Amino acid sequence: MKKNMGTADRVIRIIIAAIIGILYFTGIITGTLGLILLILAGVFVLTSFISFCPIYAPLGISTCSLKEKK
């Protein structure tokens, strides 16, 4: 797997996951919607840690900065 997520993208995903987690565990979002959002938050955290988004790959999107080759 080639990395295709930049630092900003990873930080944004982790922040969104944290917000969803806080809302779920404080009881603001509940039920089926809460579980779906909690699963989505888990996916965001996982993809942030491995720096690879499977949806970006087929679309050819990469937010990862390119390092200059010397």
Side-chain angles (χ1 to χ4, degrees):
M1 287 186 299
K2 183 180 175 185
K3 292 184 178 184
N4 62 4
M5 287 178 56
T7 304
D9 195 7
R10 292 171 50 205
V11 169
I12 290 169
R13 286 173 182 244
I14 290 174
I15 291 170
I16 291 172
I19 291 170
I20 291 171
I22 290 168
L23 292 175
Y24 181 78
F25 290 114
T26 57
I28 295 173
I29 53 174
T30 59
T32 305
L33 175 64
L35 290 175
I36 291 171
L37 289 175
L38 197 60
I39 291 169
L40 180 66
V43 171
F44 277 3
V45 170
L46 178 66
T47 57
S48 294
F49 283 135
I50 61 173
S51 297
F52 179 78
C53 179
I55 295 175
Y56 285 0
L59 298 176
I61 300 171
S62 177
T63 59
C64 188
S65 62
L66 301 175
K67 294 182 181 177
E68 294 182 23
K69 294 182 181 179
K70 294 183 180 181

